[in-house]
Amino acid sequence: MELTQIYECFCDRTRLRILHLLAETPLCVCHFQEILGEPQVKVSKHLAYLRSRGMVETKQEKNWVIYSLPEQRGRELEANLKCLQDCASGDPEFKRDLRALTKLRRRDEPSVAIACC
Amino acid sequence: MELTQIYECFCDRTRLRILHLLAETPLCVCHFQEILGEPQVKVSKHLAYLRSRGMVETKQEKNWVIYSLPEQRGRELEANLKCLQDCASGDPEFKRDLRALTKLRRRDEPSVAIACC
DNA sequence: CATCTGTATTCCTGTATAGGCATATTGCAA
DNA sequence: TTGCAATATGCCTATACAGGAATACAGATG
């Protein structure tokens, strides 16, 4: 994956929030909708953008599509994801997202990524 | 500086090469032209882009304009610049740029950033 | 089959950029 | 002053998104 492609994926706030969440756990579209508070189209399009660039992978689970970070990540992607996590730790919005995720996981325990919505 | 703004600056190869060089030393426009092998307009415009976003600072030195990274860098910028340096170390083009810089500095010693071209 | 749910896509409009060419600008030197 | 060197800017065209509205599609369920 080209370095600039990584940064192209990173240069939108919604996509950053998505990737930040995915660093924590795989998620389906409706989870993103709920946590980010963004309309379905917007979320879906950004996910498509990320997928078209190999930044995320998908897996069909019944009616849902589960997004996750790729299993195999290049050195550069790995470094930048780590850097993002570091930067995110000081940002109120990212922290809020993480709290929302935690609450949602507690609610849906134990099968988060399956019976997701 | 907003995190996404950093990534917007990072998502063009020419700008990445510029920033990678600036992490080493301040430089004037014609140095960039020479090292990058890109036309003056292109270099100048990318530098203007970076300056308009506070990613670089300038200083007039006689007939030349010396560009440098800002003295004060936020935590996020610092982290991402470091990450960029790390990623660049494995990229042939970035390495070539660095070699070209070294050669140019040797040639222009000792007053690199002054009698620059 | 009919329908519902979750997700993707198409069409549209507005905005941002990339990069080239020509030209402007600024400071210095003869 | 005239001219040159270094740099910036305006105008142009092509391309890429962002985001909303409406619609399509696919799988599950009744």
Side-chain angles (χ1 to χ4, degrees):
Chain A
M1 189 176 197
E2 238 313 318
L3 195 50
T4 52
Q5 284 228 323
I6 295 177
Y7 293 127
E8 280 164 8
C9 289
F10 278 32
C11 73
D12 176 278
R13 197 114 232 283
T14 304
R15 288 198 291 268
L16 277 187
R17 294 172 72 191
I18 288 174
L19 293 169
H20 174 238
L21 287 169
L22 284 181
E24 195 69 24
T25 182
L27 286 168
C28 72
V29 183
C30 48
H31 274 151
F32 287 118
Q33 283 179 239
E34 187 173 342
I35 298 176
L36 304 179
E38 300 281 1
Q40 187 261 329
V41 201
K42 187 168 171 179
V43 171
S44 183
K45 278 190 182 170
H46 280 300
L47 287 169
Y49 183 104
L50 292 172
R51 176 157 62 159
S52 74
R53 281 152 184 84
M55 182 63 85
V56 299
E57 290 173 349
T58 58
K59 163 177 78 166
Q60 190 95 22
E61 198 77 55
K62 303 179 78 175
N63 230 345
W64 299 280
V65 179
I66 314 291
Y67 283 81
S68 55
L69 293 177
E71 291 288 331
Q72 295 290 355
R73 308 168 204 164
R75 215 175 60 91
E76 296 161 358
L77 178 52
E78 193 64 34
N80 276 290
L81 283 173
K82 197 156 293 172
C83 186
L84 173 58
Q85 292 310 100
D86 182 32
C87 291
S89 68
D91 182 299
E93 190 174 29
F94 286 112
K95 286 196 284 188
R96 229 185 307 124
D97 288 345
L98 222 50
R99 277 199 304 276
L101 172 61
T102 306
K103 202 150 72 178
L104 183 150
R105 292 174 93 177
R106 196 148 37 215
R107 189 189 72 196
D108 294 354
E109 282 296 338
S111 50
V112 175
I114 308 298
C116 64
C117 296
Chain B
M1 190 174 196
E2 239 311 317
L3 195 49
T4 52
Q5 284 229 323
I6 294 177
Y7 293 127
E8 280 164 9
C9 289
F10 277 33
C11 73
D12 176 276
R13 196 116 234 279
T14 305
R15 288 199 290 269
L16 276 188
R17 295 172 72 192
I18 287 174
L19 292 169
H20 173 238
L21 287 169
L22 284 181
E24 195 68 23
T25 180
L27 285 169
C28 71
V29 182
C30 49
H31 275 150
F32 286 119
Q33 282 179 239
E34 188 173 340
I35 298 177
L36 305 179
E38 300 282 2
Q40 185 261 329
V41 201
K42 186 167 172 181
V43 171
S44 183
K45 277 189 180 168
H46 280 300
L47 286 169
Y49 182 105
L50 292 172
R51 177 157 62 159
S52 74
R53 280 151 183 84
M55 182 63 84
V56 299
E57 291 173 350
T58 59
K59 160 177 81 166
Q60 189 95 22
E61 197 79 52
K62 303 178 79 178
N63 229 346
W64 300 280
V65 178
I66 314 292
Y67 282 80
S68 56
L69 293 177
E71 290 288 331
Q72 295 289 354
R73 309 168 205 164
R75 213 173 62 90
E76 295 160 0
L77 178 52
E78 194 63 33
N80 277 289
L81 283 173
K82 197 157 293 173
C83 186
L84 172 60
Q85 293 309 101
D86 182 32
C87 292
S89 68
D91 181 299
E93 189 172 31
F94 286 112
K95 286 196 282 188
R96 231 184 308 124
D97 288 346
L98 222 47
R99 276 199 305 275
L101 172 62
T102 306
K103 201 150 71 179
L104 184 149
R105 292 174 94 175
R106 196 148 35 217
R107 190 190 70 195
D108 293 355
E109 284 292 339
S111 48
V112 175
I114 309 296
C116 64
C117 295

